[in-house]
Amino acid sequence: MEWRDQGILLRRRRHGENAAIIDVFTRTHGRVSGLVRGGAGRKLGAILQPGAQLDLAWRGRLETQLGVFRVEPVRSRTAAALSDRVALAGLNAVTGLLLFCLPERAQYLSLYENTEFMLDLLEHPEVWPLAYMKWEVQLLEEMGFALDLSACAVTGATQELIYVSPKSGRAVSRQGAGEWADRLLPLPSVLRGVGDGSACDILEALQTTGYFVVHHLAPNLGDRPVPEARARFVSALTQRL
């Protein structure tokens, strides 16, 4: 069995003296693990950094076995991430969440393309947090927990939508909230795709998406703990305010 694809490096783990096992999110084969001979060496080690864009050739006796990768660098994102604390934290959050969420060998073409686009914005810290927030919304949708923010779940109104139901993920208007307002999640306009949003708006949006990651997505994945990298990213963004 052989195939060739492009992918984003999520993780590298040393294997033996000089090899490494890598996890990659590929365009057409989804999340795949494989052995890279020499992957722990100086030459390939410099290439195999989280977020790196790679050209991959995979070979194995069976499609379901670990297999062996040959890798060629397409572009590195290390320099862009290291130049900005928030971007580095965000890159770690992205790779951590993808490892956490994605089943092996399931194709998510739209998510892959958006992830690649978003990571290419690492060198633009003025837009990176917004791009990340939109990516996290898509990640929830791809995993089966889409937010429905088009109309109030209670009244059907499309105006003054300022809350999200923590149970249904649907929008709730000011009028529809009533006495339940203090139990609802915030719905900043940027979460509905309106405007570019301030850092405060984006943080508020991440409070809401984070609730669904922790209380809906994680339980569906066997109650595994959400990667700490996400909390570190939110903390880094908060400290920038």
Side-chain angles (χ1 to χ4, degrees), residues 141-213:
E141 181 177 353
E142 295 277 3
M143 295 299 107
F145 299 97
L147 304 180
D148 181 357
L149 308 177
S150 58
C152 176
V154 179
T155 67
T158 57
Q159 302 297 318
E160 292 196 300
L161 301 176
I162 61 171
Y163 300 110
V164 179
S165 166
K167 290 186 177 181
S168 68
R170 296 187 62 188
V172 180
S173 67
R174 188 186 305 276
Q175 180 181 4
E179 62 183 20
W180 299 96
D182 61 347
R183 303 185 186 184
L184 302 176
L185 300 168
L187 175 51
S189 57
V190 69
L191 192 54
R192 298 181 61 226
V194 179
D196 293 335
S198 64
C200 288
D201 291 336
I202 293 169
L203 280 169
E204 197 171 44
L206 290 174
Q207 175 187 339
T208 296
T209 57
Y211 180 91
F212 287 95
V213 170

Side-chain angles (χ1 to χ4, degrees), residues 22-211:
I22 62 171
D23 295 272
V24 289
F25 181 25
T26 67
R27 179 181 297 275
T28 57
H29 294 83
R31 182 174 71 85
V32 185
S33 301
L35 180 74
V36 179
R37 296 190 175 96
R42 181 176 299 179
K43 181 180 178 181
L44 283 178
I47 295 169
L48 299 178
Q49 297 297 320
Q53 192 77 21
L54 303 172
D55 186 80
L56 301 154
W58 181 92
R59 175 181 290 183
R61 290 186 62 188
L62 298 171
E63 188 176 359
T64 54
Q65 75 171 162
L66 183 65
V68 176
F69 275 126
R70 284 187 295 105
V71 301
E72 294 291 339
V74 176
R75 59 185 174 277
S76 170
R77 299 183 174 99
T78 304
L82 291 176
S83 66
D84 182 80
R85 181 169 176 265
V86 172
L88 178 59
L91 171 61
N92 290 333
V94 170
T95 56
L97 283 172
L98 288 172
L99 282 166
F100 175 70
C101 293
L102 295 181
E104 283 197 276
R105 301 178 185 272
Q107 185 187 67
Y108 292 92
L109 181 57
S110 177
L111 179 63
Y112 173 85
E113 291 178 343
N114 194 25
T115 303
E116 185 179 320
F117 172 78
M118 184 256 302
L119 291 179
D120 284 341
L121 294 175
L122 277 169
E123 59 188 20
H124 301 285
E126 69 280 5
V127 299
W128 162 257
L130 177 63
Y132 174 90
M133 184 217 75
K134 292 180 177 179
W135 174 85
E136 196 164 271
V137 171
Q138 184 189 10
L139 181 66
L140 283 169
E141 181 177 353
E142 295 277 3
M143 295 299 107
F145 299 97
L147 304 180
D148 181 357
L149 308 177
S150 58
C152 176
V154 179
T155 67
T158 57
Q159 302 297 318
E160 292 196 300
L161 301 176
I162 61 171
Y163 300 110
V164 179
S165 166
K167 290 186 177 181
S168 68
R170 296 187 62 188
V172 180
S173 67
R174 188 186 305 276
Q175 180 181 4
E179 62 183 20
W180 299 96
D182 61 347
R183 303 185 186 184
L184 302 176
L185 300 168
L187 175 51
S189 57
V190 69
L191 192 54
R192 298 181 61 226
V194 179
D196 293 335
S198 64
C200 288
D201 291 336
I202 293 169
L203 280 169
E204 197 171 44
L206 290 174
Q207 175 187 339
T208 296
T209 57
Y211 180 91

